[in-house]
Amino acid sequence: MDIEITPKFRVSYPSVFKPKVNTLSKQEEYSVVALFEHKADSPEFKKLKLLAEKALIKKWGKDKAAWPKNLKSPFRDQADREKVVEGKATMPPGYVKGNVFINLKSKTKPGVVDQQVKPILDEAEFYAGCYAIAAITASAYDQAGNRGVAFYVKNIQKVAEGEPLSGSVKPEDHFAPVDL
């Protein structure tokens, strides 16, 4: 099983401590959306694209002409998440048109560590908006007419703090100590 380390990404919609039910498969899975500050043709994705290609070769062989048409790419434009609300186009917080996002998922709980490779036990320490890298694998899929490559997260390392995407603020940012 080939494993690659992603470039640094901004964490969005993390569900790495407790699984959530996938709306399509109806199965519980751990997941995180990786927001990259790179375009799809960026050299930062070279190793991940090779990983995806190896998964396609494993599933459908080396002859690319024999591969199914309309394969879904795991490298998606963040603009794909744009929604129109009351006639106004909006993007989720932290998303930038033209930059790539990748969905990372797993049926098993990934390890989550800090900069010193110590386990993160407090879920509040790994939040939407912090920065991370991940050890991932790839697998080609063919389900109900949908074909492509999915990336699976094995482990995640938080590498930097970031502005929270959820809009939630820590209590210490609102309050000062009070003498009683």
Side-chain angles (χ1 to χ4, degrees):
M1 173 184 314
D2 292 4
I3 294 177
E4 285 294 340
I5 304 298
T6 66
K8 182 173 87 169
F9 61 87
R10 194 156 188 208
V11 171
S12 183
Y13 301 107
S15 180
V16 295
F17 295 101
K18 295 179 189 134
K20 289 189 176 178
V21 175
N22 179 309
T23 54
L24 295 175
S25 70
K26 306 294 186 221
Q27 294 183 8
E28 285 190 339
E29 65 184 24
Y30 297 89
S31 63
V32 63
V33 178
L35 302 178
F36 296 95
E37 296 175 352
H38 310 293
K39 310 294 182 213
D41 59 357
S42 173
E44 280 83 4
F45 294 125
K46 183 177 181 181
K47 289 181 180 179
L48 300 187
K49 287 184 177 187
L50 286 172
L51 185 65
E53 186 174 346
K54 285 180 184 178
L56 292 168
I57 290 169
K58 184 177 179 181
K59 179 115 178 129
W60 288 296
K62 289 185 179 184
D63 182 7
K64 292 182 182 181
W67 291 0
K69 304 299 179 236
N70 300 323
L71 289 172
K72 292 187 179 187
S73 172
F75 303 94
R76 296 182 47 201
D77 189 314
Q78 292 176 23
D80 290 354
R81 292 285 176 103
E82 184 175 65
K83 292 189 168 96
V84 177
V85 178
E86 297 177 5
K88 190 176 188 181
T90 60
M91 299 264 284
Y95 286 65
V96 177
K97 285 185 183 183
N99 287 353
V100 168
F101 80 90
I102 296 175
N103 291 313
L104 304 175
K105 59 186 177 178
S106 178
K107 289 186 189 324
T108 59
K109 185 177 180 179
V112 182
V113 297
D114 64 15
Q115 294 90 333
Q116 282 69 49
V117 195
K118 297 211 179 336
I120 295 177
L121 303 175
D122 180 358
E123 294 179 27
E125 291 299 312
F126 191 82
Y127 55 91
C130 72
Y131 290 86
I133 57 175
I136 63 171
T137 62
S139 180
Y141 62 86
D142 183 356
Q143 297 174 333
N146 291 317
R147 297 174 183 95
V149 174
F151 284 120
Y152 296 90
V153 62
K154 296 295 182 188
N155 294 298
I156 301 171
Q157 181 180 27
K158 179 181 174 181
V159 295
E161 301 294 338
E163 185 71 29
L165 297 179
S166 64
S168 61
V169 180
K170 295 178 183 175
E172 55 269 25
D173 293 339
H174 281 143
F175 305 113
V178 177
D179 289 329
L180 297 176

